[in-house]
Amino acid sequence: MDENELNALLGQLLQDLGGAFSVPLVQIGERLGLYEMLTDAGPCTAQELAQKADVNERYLREWLSAQAASKYIGYDPESDTFFMTAEQSYVFADRSSPVYMAPGFSAAAAFAQNEPLVREAFKTGQGIPWGSQTTCLACAVAQFFRPGYENHLLQAWLPALEGGLEKLQSGANVADIGCGHGLTTTMMAKGFPNSQFLGVDFHEPSIEAAREHAAPLALGNLKFDISSANAVSGGFDLVTIFDCLHDMGDPVAAMRHVKEMLGAEGVCMIVEPMAGDSLAENLNPVGRLYYSGSTMVCVPTSLAQETGAALGAQAGEKRLRQLIVEEAGFSSLRRIAETPFNMVLEAKP
């Protein structure tokens, strides 16, 4: 045994356990608005922040101490004050930031709640329907992806489509497949009032949430329906699929149906988790997150549907190209944009 290798592994495990133990603490900070209050207040003592936040000082001091030990916030021992740097605020307090990561901890909590179901599925090989998983999962997933969508969808991804922006501005018919809570559908409908948008998802509670979230905006060009990808009817200029193609039980059949939905000049935009084409390429922090989430959610969800393809969240562009072009019959597929967390693909019939 190499003692240096052992110590390095133990050091990594300590970091990992610290992150795992931080999951409920970050949720508390996010839900009580503590990061925002600390950012606004500037350097302050636990007692001062407790008064501002109207929370118990003893609980808050322990929370602040844990956050400082995690380096999620700063601490000045001379003045016994806590503070947030601009970078810390950008990650934990600015909900409009493209790297607002606090919702990721809620997703981690949802994955942990799924553990008994997934553990049993390991033995049976059976899938776990999306609606049978922990009730907060859909909410957590929606909030985890929201910052990326808000900062890239209208600003970079849609403009990267060949001729897509002009169609959307003049008036296009758009279907958002697997829309979940409808965040992407609503963003597009709000941004392009001349176009018509239909958001569909097979999970009824998610569609109910989508309708509830969109209702205050009173968008006349937006509607949501409960439907699987293969059951959507009508002709569309644009079909979008955000972070859910790999969750489908039969993604090839879904893409064949999308091809039928699109006119000759139509286009499909597929947003999938960033991944290389091999396991070796994905042995990195982003791949680690996605393989873990895929084990707990994506693979079980796919195995519960139709043929249970179980692509997984790290399928990679090469496998997606094979699926979309060679198997589903699209004429072309190209990567039009990417972020550290997503790759954006354009498929043409």
Side-chain angles (χ1 to χ4, degrees):
M1 184 180 297
D2 187 320
E3 187 173 350
N4 290 330
E5 290 291 331
L6 175 62
N7 289 333
L9 178 59
L10 289 173
Q12 178 188 330
L13 287 173
L14 284 174
Q15 292 293 326
D16 292 349
L17 285 172
F21 286 10
S22 294
V23 166
L25 276 70
V26 173
Q27 288 183 286
I28 290 170
E30 180 187 24
R31 293 170 183 177
L32 293 180
L34 298 178
Y35 297 113
E36 290 96 328
M37 291 183 202
L38 183 56
T39 295
D40 292 342
C44 59
T45 65
Q47 184 177 12
E48 291 168 342
L49 186 60
Q51 292 175 347
K52 179 179 178 65
D54 192 25
V55 298
N56 178 270
E57 187 273 338
R58 185 64 191 91
Y59 274 105
L60 182 63
R61 170 167 280 279
E62 211 71 1
W63 181 86
L64 288 165
S65 300
Q67 297 297 282
S70 295
K71 299 184 180 179
Y72 296 165
I73 67 173
Y75 173 67
D76 178 16
E78 292 188 4
S79 60
D80 191 30
T81 58
F82 299 89
F83 59 91
M84 296 195 73
T85 65
E87 296 78 14
Q88 290 165 339
S89 295
Y90 201 51
V91 171
F92 287 104
D94 184 353
R95 296 178 188 240
S96 66
S97 161
V99 291
Y100 177 59
M101 295 298 292
F105 289 79
S106 293
F111 296 162
Q113 291 176 25
N114 258 7
E115 185 273 333
L117 293 173
V118 178
R119 175 165 26 96
E120 183 62 23
F122 263 68
K123 295 184 288 184
T124 67
Q126 299 298 307
I128 304 170
W130 183 258
S132 298
Q133 301 182 32
T134 177
T135 54
C136 67
L137 178 63
C139 303
V141 170
Q143 291 307 310
F144 175 71
F145 284 118
R146 179 188 58 80
Y149 297 155
E150 287 187 339
N151 284 275
H152 300 292
L153 176 54
L154 301 186
Q155 302 90 325
W157 297 350
L158 289 172
L161 291 171
E162 186 176 336
L165 201 59
E166 291 80 4
K167 288 182 181 179
L168 288 167
Q169 290 170 337
S170 61
N173 202 18
V174 182
D176 190 10
I177 305 293
C179 68
H181 282 212
L183 300 181
T184 50
T185 331
T186 303
M187 290 176 197
M188 292 189 291
K190 187 177 178 181
F192 299 99
N194 292 331
S195 292
Q196 297 296 314
F197 294 87
L198 170 66
V200 299
D201 200 288
F202 72 162
H203 187 234
E204 184 174 353
S206 289
I207 289 297
E208 292 173 352
R211 290 168 175 162
E212 182 179 346
H213 295 156
L217 299 176
L219 297 170
N221 63 335
L222 172 65
K223 66 177 293 189
F224 293 101
D225 283 342
I226 301 166
S227 174
S228 66
N230 293 338
V232 182
S233 61
F236 296 90
D237 302 296
L238 171 65
V239 173
T240 57
I241 306 174
F242 292 93
D243 288 297
C244 66
L245 182 64
H246 63 273
D247 293 320
M248 296 180 184
D250 193 345
V252 173
M255 290 306 300
R256 285 174 179 160
H257 185 70
V258 168
K259 187 173 182 289
E260 294 175 359
M261 294 162 56
L262 291 168
E265 301 300 319
V267 66
C268 178
M269 184 174 78
I270 303 127
V271 179
E272 279 286 292
M274 175 58 73
D277 293 322
S278 68
L279 172 58
E281 293 176 85
N282 297 328
L283 299 181
N284 54 59
V286 173
R288 183 187 187 195
L289 289 177
Y290 281 136
Y291 277 126
S292 298
S294 190
T295 304
M296 300 306 295
V297 177
C298 307
V299 167
T301 297
S302 179
L303 288 174
Q305 305 169 60
E306 300 149 338
T307 59
L311 276 179
Q314 293 288 273
E317 186 176 347
K318 181 179 179 180
R319 177 66 185 98
L320 293 171
R321 183 178 303 278
Q322 178 186 352
L323 182 157
I324 294 167
V325 176
E326 298 178 21
E327 299 176 41
F330 278 75
S331 64
S332 66
L333 182 76
R334 68 185 182 103
R335 187 183 299 199
I336 57 173
E338 64 182 54
T339 74
F341 295 104
N342 288 106
M343 55 179 162
V344 185
L345 307 172
E346 176 195 77
K348 291 186 175 182

